[in-house]
C-alpha cells in the first residue's frame, strides 16, 4: 500500500510541478509533511539539506530520500521513477508530435511565436534575480569573478592559484568591512 501511495504522490508532484526543484518545494512540503505525514518539519528540513548536498536535482533527491525512508530501496526506486515519469511521457509525446509536424508552416509559425515569449520570460526572471541580488557585496564578488576569468583565460594564471588568491582577497575585504 505504501508503494502505491508513494507512486501516486510523486507522480502527481511530477505532473504538476513545473519550474524545477526549488519552484515546487512548497508543494513537496505539503504532500510529504501535511497530506501524508511521512516526515515532520524537522525531517523535511533534513530532507532539503541532504537533497541539496547530494548531486542531482533537489526534487528528485527528495523523492528518492522519502521513498527510501518509507520503504527502503524499492520505495526509493518507485518514488524516483514516479516523479520523473510524467515529464518523460510529456516530453516524449511532444517530441513525437514535433517530428511528425515539424515541416508544416503552421507549426513553424507557432514555434517562432513561442521563442520570443520564452526569451522574455527567462529574461524577466533573470532581471528579478539581479535586482534582488545587487548590492555592494554582489558587485564586488562579480568583479572578482570577472577578474579571475580574465586572469585564467587571457594571462594563463593557474586556476587553483586564482581561486586561492580571490578567496583570500574576499576574506580580507569581508574582515575589513
Amino acid at each position: 500500500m505504501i508503494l502505491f501511495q508513494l507512486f501516486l504522490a510523486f507522480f502527481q508532484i511530477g505532473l504538476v510541478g513545473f519550474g524545477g526543484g526549488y519552484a515546487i518545494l512548497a508543494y513537496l512540503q505539503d504532500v510529504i509533511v501535511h497530506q501524508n505525514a511521512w516526515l515532520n518539519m524537522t525531517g523535511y528540513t533534513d530532507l532539503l539539506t541532504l537533497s541539496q548536498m547530494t548531486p542531482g536535482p533537489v526534487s528528485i533527491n527528495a523523492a528518492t530520500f522519502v521513498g527510501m525512508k518509507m520503504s527502503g530501496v524499492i520505495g526509493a526506486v518507485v518514488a524516483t521513477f514516479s516523479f520523473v515519469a510524467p515529464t518523460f511521457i510529456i516530453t516524449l509525446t511532444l517530441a513525437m508530435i514535433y517530428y511528425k509536424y515539424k515541416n508544416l508552416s503552421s507549426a513553424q509559425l507557432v514555434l517562432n511565436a513561442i521563442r520570443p515569449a520564452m526569451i522574455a520570460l527567462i529574461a524577466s526572471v533573470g532581471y528579478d534575480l539581479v535586482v534582488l541580488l545587487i548590492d555592494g557585496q554582489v558587485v564586488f564578488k562579480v568583479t572578482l569573478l570577472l577578474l579571475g576569468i580574465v586572469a585564467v583565460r587571457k594571462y594563463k594564471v593557474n586556476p587553483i592559484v586564482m581561486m586561492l588568491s580571490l578567496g583570500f582577497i574576499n576574506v580580507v575585504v569581508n574582515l575589513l568591512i
Side-chain angles (χ1 to χ4, degrees):
M1 184 65 178
I2 188 67
L3 292 176
F4 185 68
Q5 289 174 324
L6 284 168
F7 179 85
L8 283 180
F10 285 104
F11 190 87
Q12 181 182 14
I13 293 169
L15 187 61
V16 299
F18 296 102
Y22 294 108
I24 65 168
L25 287 181
Y27 184 52
L28 199 62
Q29 175 187 349
D30 184 56
V31 171
I32 293 170
V33 176
H34 303 295
Q35 289 180 19
N36 293 298
W38 289 328
L39 298 174
N40 59 22
M41 278 308 293
T42 304
Y44 183 72
T45 57
D46 292 344
L47 161 81
L48 291 181
T49 303
L50 288 172
S51 295
Q52 291 176 6
M53 288 174 30
T54 54
V58 172
S59 50
I60 292 176
N61 291 342
T64 305
F65 179 87
V66 171
M68 185 71 159
K69 180 163 178 45
M70 298 311 300
S71 194
V73 172
I74 190 72
V77 170
V78 167
T80 303
F81 171 78
S82 62
F83 182 79
V84 299
T87 305
F88 177 76
I89 293 167
I90 291 168
T91 304
L92 184 63
T93 304
L94 290 174
M96 289 169 42
I97 292 169
Y98 172 75
Y99 279 109
K100 185 173 182 178
Y101 298 108
K102 70 180 177 182
N103 294 326
L104 290 178
S105 61
S106 57
Q108 290 302 316
L109 287 172
V110 170
L111 291 174
N112 288 336
I114 290 174
R115 281 187 191 109
M118 295 308 298
I119 291 169
L121 286 171
I122 293 168
S124 172
V125 170
Y127 175 79
D128 290 344
L129 289 174
V130 167
V131 167
L132 284 173
L133 293 174
I134 289 191
D135 64 9
Q137 281 270 334
V138 173
V139 172
F140 173 70
K141 289 179 181 179
V142 169
T143 303
L144 282 180
L145 171 69
L146 294 174
L147 289 172
I149 291 171
V150 168
V152 169
R153 300 291 287 169
K154 186 172 183 176
Y155 298 109
K156 306 296 183 211
V157 176
N158 184 315
I160 295 173
V161 171
M162 185 53 51
M163 286 190 309
L164 292 173
S165 301
L166 294 178
F168 177 76
I169 291 170
N170 188 39
V171 168
V172 168
V173 169
N174 283 326
L175 289 174
L176 294 175
I177 294 178

